Amino acid sequence: MNVKFNLSAINNKICEDTGGENESHKLIVVVRQITLTMLVYTLISCIHTISIQHLEEMGFCLVSFLLFLFIFITSYRFKTFVSYCVLNICILGWIITNVIVYGWNNGVQHFLLTLLVFCFFSKYQYEAAKVAYSIFLFTMRIALYFYCQNNAPLIALDLSNNVIIQIVNSLTVFVSLSLIAYTFSTDTQALEGKLIEYNERLQKQANTDTLTGLFNRRKTIEYLDSLLKSADNQISFCLCDIDFFKKVNDTYGHNIGDEVLKTLSDTFRKELPKDTFISRWGGEEFLLIFPGLNGDETMVALERLRQKVKSIVFDGGIEKFSISLTFGLVEYDYHSDLTTLLKQADEKLYIGKENGRDRIIF
């Protein structure tokens, strides 16, 4: 518990915002993260130099450690942009000094990549300055390379120590780049996630009926168009209508009518085959689409639904009541267009109404 609390306190301290107005909070956080990474790096270097008893190296590592410690402390006093610039200058000077002292083979020049990525991830919108800085870093890397080709390092390291330093340098560069990318990308990823979620919500609102949650007429027409274009299996269509629904609204009120529509929609979802496309076609009328089923198979599913709906008892306040549905069913003939199919289903629904309702006409 105490460990968690201490880690949380340390993280809060690192993330403390000391920037001025309109300055990026993320930037000062990364400045401190990179500075702490360099502190750990120089501390490891100090321990390593002590273990191999290289006093010259130890002095350089100690000075580097104190320098980065100074930068970390002053990050709570300086403005964000000042801290950013000071860290860049110090790391750049540290890289140049390190290459001159130890040579090219220890890999410290790779820290120039950290400065490059840090520059382009920073929130300050000076694109020309960023390009100029990247050109400067590239030029600096080339200059250091040619310097090392013509000058021997001031301190020559043996092969084993060179390998150790190369590994530590590579690890530190990867950690630094990861911190920069992670910290600056979290907001972007969160924003992108919210945008995707918002777009999905808008898409759902555009395609569904608000009251029942079923697909609306617009989405249904889109689905039917795509379904008929690629139809290679049997498809059945059914228009169904609540019998005497106007009487339900007039007798029990529109609130009860809405409850009937919602209950009926839930019943459709539970009782019909899972791949059935269910839509509220308008008012108390629903369009049911059965991909992969012929008319006879659909009749079985609809009859089961018809019986289930009749068994539901609604509480109208003044009394309890039940409802029934009338169905007009057609089977796709592989050549009729959408308008024709819907007209045929509507005509069969009308026949069912004229012949006593509460029935399936196929």
Side-chain angles (χ1 to χ4, degrees), residues 56-212:
E56 300 92 340
E57 290 183 63
M58 185 177 68
F60 176 71
C61 293
L62 182 59
V63 171
S64 300
F65 177 83
L66 294 175
L67 176 65
F68 289 116
L69 180 62
F70 170 79
I71 295 172
F72 183 79
I73 293 172
T74 55
S75 70
Y76 292 92
R77 299 179 181 274
F78 294 159
K79 297 297 184 182
T80 297
F81 185 68
V82 174
S83 297
Y84 167 76
C85 291
V86 169
L87 179 62
N88 270 265
I89 292 170
C90 289
I91 291 180
L92 189 59
W94 175 81
I95 292 171
I96 295 170
T97 305
N98 222 308
V99 171
I100 292 173
V101 172
Y102 299 113
W104 185 261
N105 291 332
N106 69 354
V108 76
Q109 67 276 4
H110 298 318
F111 282 89
L112 291 171
L113 295 175
T114 299
L115 296 182
L116 177 64
V117 174
F118 195 9
C119 170
F120 276 93
F121 266 104
S122 64
K123 299 295 186 180
Y124 294 99
Q125 302 300 316
Y126 301 122
E127 301 302 327
K130 291 180 179 181
V131 173
Y133 189 51
S134 66
I135 294 172
F136 168 75
L137 292 175
F138 172 75
T139 305
M140 181 59 65
R141 182 182 174 92
I142 297 299
L144 289 172
Y145 174 77
F146 282 107
Y147 171 84
C148 291
Q149 295 301 306
N150 296 288
N151 297 273
L154 299 180
I155 299 176
L157 298 173
D158 58 42
L159 180 60
S160 60
N161 285 317
N162 222 340
V163 170
I164 293 172
I165 293 176
Q166 179 76 258
I167 293 172
V168 174
N169 284 340
S170 298
L171 178 61
T172 307
V173 169
F174 271 92
V175 170
S176 300
L177 292 175
S178 299
L179 287 172
I180 293 169
Y182 174 78
T183 304
F184 279 121
S185 66
T186 47
D187 283 347
T188 303
Q189 292 171 350
L191 182 61
E192 184 179 355
K194 289 180 181 178
L195 185 61
I196 292 172
E197 183 181 341
Y198 179 68
N199 287 336
E200 289 176 348
R201 190 161 61 247
L202 288 180
Q203 183 80 20
K204 184 176 180 180
Q205 290 174 353
N207 293 333
T208 58
D209 173 62
T210 305
L211 177 65
T212 62

Side-chain angles (χ1 to χ4, degrees), residues 247-248 250-253 256 314-321:
K247 182 178 178 182
V248 172
D250 292 342
T251 305
Y252 307 108
I256 299 299
F314 296 93
D315 187 355
I318 56 177
E319 62 180 347
K320 297 186 183 299
F321 66 95

Side-chain angles (χ1 to χ4, degrees), residues 207-241:
N207 293 333
T208 58
D209 173 62
T210 305
L211 177 65
T212 62
L214 300 178
F215 292 113
N216 58 20
R217 182 184 286 252
R218 171 182 170 277
K219 176 62 178 177
T220 304
I221 292 175
E222 288 181 3
Y223 174 75
L224 283 171
D225 283 337
S226 63
L227 186 66
L228 295 181
K229 285 178 184 177
S230 59
D232 54 3
N233 292 312
Q234 293 177 311
I235 309 170
S236 297
F237 306 85
C238 174
L239 271 174
C240 62
D241 185 272

